[in-house]
Amino acid sequence: MKIKLAILEKDESYLNRIVTAFSTKYSDKFEIYSFTDQTVALSTLENAKIDVLVANDSFEIDLSMLPKRCGFAYLVDSADVDTVNNQRAICKFQKADLIYKQILSIYSENAGSISGLKLGDDSAKIIAFEPISGGCGSSCVAAACALHYAAKGAKVLYLNLEKFGSADSVFSAEGQFDMSDIIFALKSKKTNLALKLESCVKKDPRGVYFYSQPKIALDMLELGSEDIIHLISETKLIGSYNYIILDMDFSLDKEMLKVVRQAHALVWVGDGSDISNAKLFRAYNALNAMEQNAESPLTNRLALIYNKFSNKTSKTLNEIGIKNVGGAPRYEHATTAQVIGQLAPMDMFDKIL
């Protein structure tokens, strides 16, 4: 099913360009109607069952004339304008894919449960990363894993679920939406979540997809285990990704273990220090006791990576039955980006699954 998009614009040259761009890049997403006359445009909305109308801000649109489920936004010249007459504004002069995402977001908020996406076969492999002790660089390892698979041509989503983590510290891309928009969609239960996910996701130049950090850090505290499971499930069903990398805080809370059960593999990251190994030993024994009667125990999906390993102060813990897939040394005086760049090519990530 295609989204029926109507564009009302006085500048015929711009109108032709945007219609051509959308018809070329998103012919499978949009059925486009273009107008320069407001009266003709408004009279067409109902009969054509238009889903979204975007109109140049030189037009004064009476919203009561729009069909009930027709989304709306003004087209403006400046990226600094967020709203016009209390309605959403979209800057005309930006990349077509950014305009597309904004239109898709508007549609998702009005489309209810109707989906414009073709759902996939739930084939994404999910790998969850957790730090077994503080300062061991679990987020760097998770980001490097995402880059590792992306470099091999896989489509990878890096999903930072830490309470105060940030995907923007390791990945970057243009776009106005972030994790706060996803959280609101999850909580409202009125938005078409699959479409919202597509409209909000960003793509780093190195090929990894991600969601930017929320506008307010406390927004992440609103996410419960059922919300996260819903988010993961919907992301899998979209069928776009080969891998979903979860970057998580460590927890043996029963609710968060429900989230981890969604993963094909759980990777604990430690640094091999005495403190880290002591925590690892206790955590494994606790998880093993909790999972004894589980039909598919998490301990069977557990893997271990030693990061920031020092030949002087670190040692591997061999007394427990966790698969050790590899490790990396401490990179002195290196930036986060440089560390991730060193980790990403390592073959240890191919041994996780």
Short mmCIF file of all heavy atoms in Angstrom, two decimals, residues 130-168:
data_model
loop_
_atom_site.label_atom_id
_atom_site.label_comp_id
_atom_site.label_asym_id
_atom_site.label_seq_id
_atom_site.Cartn_x
_atom_site.Cartn_y
_atom_site.Cartn_z
N GLU A 130 26.26 -6.26 27.52
CA GLU A 130 26.14 -5.70 28.87
C GLU A 130 27.53 -5.64 29.51
O GLU A 130 28.32 -6.58 29.34
CB GLU A 130 25.23 -6.56 29.75
CG GLU A 130 23.77 -6.56 29.35
CD GLU A 130 22.90 -7.38 30.29
OE1 GLU A 130 23.48 -8.22 31.04
OE2 GLU A 130 21.68 -7.19 30.29
N PRO A 131 27.82 -4.58 30.26
CA PRO A 131 29.09 -4.51 30.99
C PRO A 131 28.99 -5.28 32.30
O PRO A 131 28.05 -5.09 33.06
CB PRO A 131 29.25 -3.01 31.24
CG PRO A 131 27.84 -2.51 31.36
CD PRO A 131 27.01 -3.36 30.44
N ILE A 132 29.96 -6.14 32.56
CA ILE A 132 29.94 -6.88 33.82
C ILE A 132 30.51 -6.03 34.94
O ILE A 132 30.29 -6.29 36.12
CB ILE A 132 30.68 -8.22 33.68
CG1 ILE A 132 30.24 -9.20 34.76
CG2 ILE A 132 32.18 -8.01 33.70
CD1 ILE A 132 28.78 -9.60 34.65
N SER A 133 31.26 -4.99 34.59
CA SER A 133 31.81 -4.07 35.58
C SER A 133 31.96 -2.70 34.94
O SER A 133 32.00 -2.57 33.71
CB SER A 133 33.16 -4.56 36.11
OG SER A 133 34.09 -4.70 35.05
N GLY A 134 32.04 -1.67 35.76
CA GLY A 134 32.12 -0.31 35.24
C GLY A 134 33.44 -0.03 34.54
O GLY A 134 34.50 -0.56 34.91
N GLY A 135 33.37 0.78 33.48
CA GLY A 135 34.57 1.24 32.79
C GLY A 135 35.23 0.24 31.88
O GLY A 135 36.38 0.44 31.46
N CYS A 136 34.53 -0.85 31.54
CA CYS A 136 35.16 -1.87 30.69
C CYS A 136 34.93 -1.61 29.19
O CYS A 136 35.38 -2.38 28.35
CB CYS A 136 34.68 -3.26 31.07
SG CYS A 136 32.90 -3.50 30.91
N GLY A 137 34.20 -0.55 28.86
CA GLY A 137 34.03 -0.19 27.45
C GLY A 137 33.03 -1.03 26.70
O GLY A 137 33.19 -1.29 25.50
N SER A 138 31.96 -1.44 27.37
CA SER A 138 30.95 -2.29 26.72
C SER A 138 30.30 -1.58 25.54
O SER A 138 30.04 -2.21 24.50
CB SER A 138 29.89 -2.70 27.74
OG SER A 138 28.89 -3.49 27.15
N SER A 139 30.02 -0.28 25.68
CA SER A 139 29.38 0.45 24.58
C SER A 139 30.30 0.53 23.36
O SER A 139 29.83 0.45 22.22
CB SER A 139 28.98 1.85 25.03
OG SER A 139 27.87 1.79 25.89
N CYS A 140 31.59 0.69 23.59
CA CYS A 140 32.54 0.71 22.48
C CYS A 140 32.55 -0.63 21.76
O CYS A 140 32.60 -0.69 20.52
CB CYS A 140 33.95 1.03 22.98
SG CYS A 140 34.22 2.75 23.43
N VAL A 141 32.48 -1.72 22.53
CA VAL A 141 32.47 -3.06 21.94
C VAL A 141 31.19 -3.28 21.14
O VAL A 141 31.21 -3.82 20.03
CB VAL A 141 32.62 -4.14 23.03
CG1 VAL A 141 32.51 -5.53 22.43
CG2 VAL A 141 33.96 -4.00 23.74
N ALA A 142 30.04 -2.85 21.71
CA ALA A 142 28.76 -3.01 21.01
C ALA A 142 28.76 -2.21 19.70
O ALA A 142 28.31 -2.71 18.66
CB ALA A 142 27.62 -2.55 21.91
N ALA A 143 29.24 -0.97 19.76
CA ALA A 143 29.29 -0.13 18.55
C ALA A 143 30.23 -0.74 17.51
O ALA A 143 29.94 -0.73 16.31
CB ALA A 143 29.73 1.29 18.91
N ALA A 144 31.37 -1.27 17.98
CA ALA A 144 32.32 -1.90 17.07
C ALA A 144 31.73 -3.13 16.41
O ALA A 144 31.95 -3.39 15.22
CB ALA A 144 33.59 -2.28 17.83
N CYS A 145 30.93 -3.89 17.17
CA CYS A 145 30.25 -5.06 16.60
C CYS A 145 29.31 -4.64 15.48
O CYS A 145 29.25 -5.27 14.42
CB CYS A 145 29.50 -5.80 17.70
SG CYS A 145 28.65 -7.29 17.13
N ALA A 146 28.56 -3.55 15.72
CA ALA A 146 27.64 -3.04 14.69
C ALA A 146 28.41 -2.65 13.43
O ALA A 146 28.01 -2.98 12.30
CB ALA A 146 26.86 -1.85 15.23
N LEU A 147 29.53 -1.97 13.61
CA LEU A 147 30.35 -1.56 12.47
C LEU A 147 30.97 -2.78 11.77
O LEU A 147 31.11 -2.79 10.54
CB LEU A 147 31.47 -0.61 12.94
CG LEU A 147 31.04 0.81 13.27
CD1 LEU A 147 32.17 1.56 13.96
CD2 LEU A 147 30.61 1.55 12.01
N HIS A 148 31.32 -3.78 12.54
CA HIS A 148 31.91 -5.00 11.97
C HIS A 148 30.96 -5.65 10.96
O HIS A 148 31.36 -5.98 9.84
CB HIS A 148 32.22 -5.98 13.11
CG HIS A 148 32.78 -7.29 12.66
ND1 HIS A 148 34.13 -7.48 12.40
CD2 HIS A 148 32.17 -8.50 12.40
CE1 HIS A 148 34.32 -8.73 12.01
NE2 HIS A 148 33.15 -9.37 12.00
N TYR A 149 29.71 -5.82 11.36
CA TYR A 149 28.75 -6.45 10.47
C TYR A 149 28.36 -5.53 9.31
O TYR A 149 28.14 -6.00 8.18
CB TYR A 149 27.51 -6.87 11.25
CG TYR A 149 27.73 -8.05 12.17
CD1 TYR A 149 27.47 -7.95 13.54
CD2 TYR A 149 28.21 -9.25 11.69
CE1 TYR A 149 27.68 -9.03 14.39
CE2 TYR A 149 28.43 -10.34 12.53
CZ TYR A 149 28.16 -10.22 13.88
OH TYR A 149 28.37 -11.29 14.71
N ALA A 150 28.27 -4.23 9.58
CA ALA A 150 27.94 -3.28 8.51
C ALA A 150 29.02 -3.27 7.43
O ALA A 150 28.73 -3.17 6.24
CB ALA A 150 27.75 -1.88 9.09
N ALA A 151 30.28 -3.38 7.86
CA ALA A 151 31.39 -3.39 6.90
C ALA A 151 31.35 -4.62 6.00
O ALA A 151 31.91 -4.61 4.90
CB ALA A 151 32.73 -3.35 7.65
N LYS A 152 30.66 -5.67 6.45
CA LYS A 152 30.51 -6.88 5.65
C LYS A 152 29.28 -6.84 4.76
O LYS A 152 28.95 -7.83 4.10
CB LYS A 152 30.45 -8.11 6.57
CG LYS A 152 31.76 -8.39 7.29
CD LYS A 152 31.72 -9.75 7.98
CE LYS A 152 33.11 -10.14 8.44
NZ LYS A 152 33.18 -11.53 8.90
N GLY A 153 28.60 -5.70 4.75
CA GLY A 153 27.45 -5.54 3.88
C GLY A 153 26.11 -5.82 4.52
O GLY A 153 25.07 -5.74 3.85
N ALA A 154 26.09 -6.14 5.81
CA ALA A 154 24.83 -6.41 6.50
C ALA A 154 24.15 -5.09 6.86
O ALA A 154 24.80 -4.06 7.03
CB ALA A 154 25.07 -7.23 7.76
N LYS A 155 22.84 -5.14 6.98
CA LYS A 155 22.08 -3.98 7.45
C LYS A 155 21.92 -4.13 8.95
O LYS A 155 21.30 -5.08 9.43
CB LYS A 155 20.72 -3.89 6.75
CG LYS A 155 20.01 -2.57 7.02
CD LYS A 155 18.78 -2.39 6.13
CE LYS A 155 18.10 -1.05 6.40
NZ LYS A 155 16.89 -0.87 5.56
N VAL A 156 22.48 -3.17 9.70
CA VAL A 156 22.61 -3.30 11.14
C VAL A 156 21.97 -2.11 11.85
O VAL A 156 22.21 -0.95 11.49
CB VAL A 156 24.10 -3.39 11.56
CG1 VAL A 156 24.22 -3.63 13.07
CG2 VAL A 156 24.82 -4.47 10.78
N LEU A 157 21.18 -2.41 12.88
CA LEU A 157 20.62 -1.38 13.75
C LEU A 157 21.31 -1.45 15.09
O LEU A 157 21.32 -2.50 15.74
CB LEU A 157 19.12 -1.57 13.94
CG LEU A 157 18.46 -0.61 14.95
CD1 LEU A 157 18.45 0.82 14.43
CD2 LEU A 157 17.03 -1.05 15.28
N TYR A 158 21.91 -0.34 15.53
CA TYR A 158 22.49 -0.22 16.86
C TYR A 158 21.44 0.46 17.73
O TYR A 158 21.04 1.59 17.47
CB TYR A 158 23.77 0.60 16.81
CG TYR A 158 24.31 1.03 18.16
CD1 TYR A 158 25.09 0.17 18.93
CD2 TYR A 158 24.04 2.29 18.66
CE1 TYR A 158 25.59 0.57 20.16
CE2 TYR A 158 24.53 2.70 19.89
CZ TYR A 158 25.31 1.84 20.64
OH TYR A 158 25.80 2.23 21.86
N LEU A 159 20.98 -0.24 18.77
CA LEU A 159 19.90 0.26 19.61
C LEU A 159 20.43 0.44 21.03
O LEU A 159 20.65 -0.54 21.75
CB LEU A 159 18.73 -0.71 19.59
CG LEU A 159 17.44 -0.31 20.32
CD1 LEU A 159 16.91 1.02 19.80
CD2 LEU A 159 16.39 -1.40 20.15
N ASN A 160 20.67 1.69 21.43
CA ASN A 160 21.19 1.97 22.75
C ASN A 160 20.04 2.05 23.75
O ASN A 160 19.20 2.95 23.68
CB ASN A 160 21.98 3.28 22.75
CG ASN A 160 22.79 3.46 24.03
OD1 ASN A 160 22.24 3.45 25.13
ND2 ASN A 160 24.09 3.61 23.90
N LEU A 161 19.99 1.10 24.67
CA LEU A 161 18.92 1.03 25.67
C LEU A 161 19.42 1.40 27.07
O LEU A 161 18.70 1.23 28.05
CB LEU A 161 18.32 -0.38 25.70
CG LEU A 161 17.63 -0.83 24.41
CD1 LEU A 161 17.22 -2.29 24.50
CD2 LEU A 161 16.43 0.05 24.08
N GLU A 162 20.63 1.91 27.16
CA GLU A 162 21.15 2.34 28.45
C GLU A 162 20.33 3.52 28.98
O GLU A 162 19.85 4.34 28.20
CB GLU A 162 22.61 2.76 28.33
CG GLU A 162 23.56 1.66 27.92
CD GLU A 162 24.96 2.20 27.69
OE1 GLU A 162 25.14 3.07 26.82
OE2 GLU A 162 25.87 1.75 28.39
N LYS A 163 20.20 3.60 30.28
CA LYS A 163 19.41 4.68 30.87
C LYS A 163 19.97 6.05 30.50
O LYS A 163 19.22 6.99 30.22
CB LYS A 163 19.36 4.53 32.39
CG LYS A 163 18.65 3.27 32.87
CD LYS A 163 17.21 3.21 32.37
CE LYS A 163 16.49 1.99 32.91
NZ LYS A 163 15.14 1.81 32.32
N PHE A 164 21.28 6.17 30.50
CA PHE A 164 21.88 7.47 30.19
C PHE A 164 22.95 7.34 29.10
O PHE A 164 23.90 8.10 29.05
CB PHE A 164 22.47 8.09 31.46
CG PHE A 164 21.44 8.30 32.54
CD1 PHE A 164 21.41 7.49 33.65
CD2 PHE A 164 20.47 9.28 32.41
CE1 PHE A 164 20.45 7.64 34.63
CE2 PHE A 164 19.50 9.45 33.38
CZ PHE A 164 19.48 8.63 34.50
N GLY A 165 22.76 6.36 28.23
CA GLY A 165 23.67 6.18 27.12
C GLY A 165 23.32 7.09 25.95
O GLY A 165 22.31 7.79 25.96
N SER A 166 24.16 7.07 24.94
CA SER A 166 23.91 7.92 23.77
C SER A 166 24.52 7.30 22.52
O SER A 166 25.74 7.10 22.46
CB SER A 166 24.49 9.31 23.98
OG SER A 166 24.43 10.07 22.79
N ALA A 167 23.68 7.00 21.55
CA ALA A 167 24.19 6.52 20.27
C ALA A 167 24.97 7.62 19.55
O ALA A 167 25.87 7.33 18.75
CB ALA A 167 23.02 6.06 19.40
N ASP A 168 24.65 8.89 19.86
CA ASP A 168 25.30 10.01 19.18
C ASP A 168 26.77 10.16 19.55
O ASP A 168 27.50 10.91 18.90
CB ASP A 168 24.56 11.31 19.49
CG ASP A 168 23.10 11.24 19.08
OD1 ASP A 168 22.80 11.61 17.94
OD2 ASP A 168 22.27 10.81 19.89
#
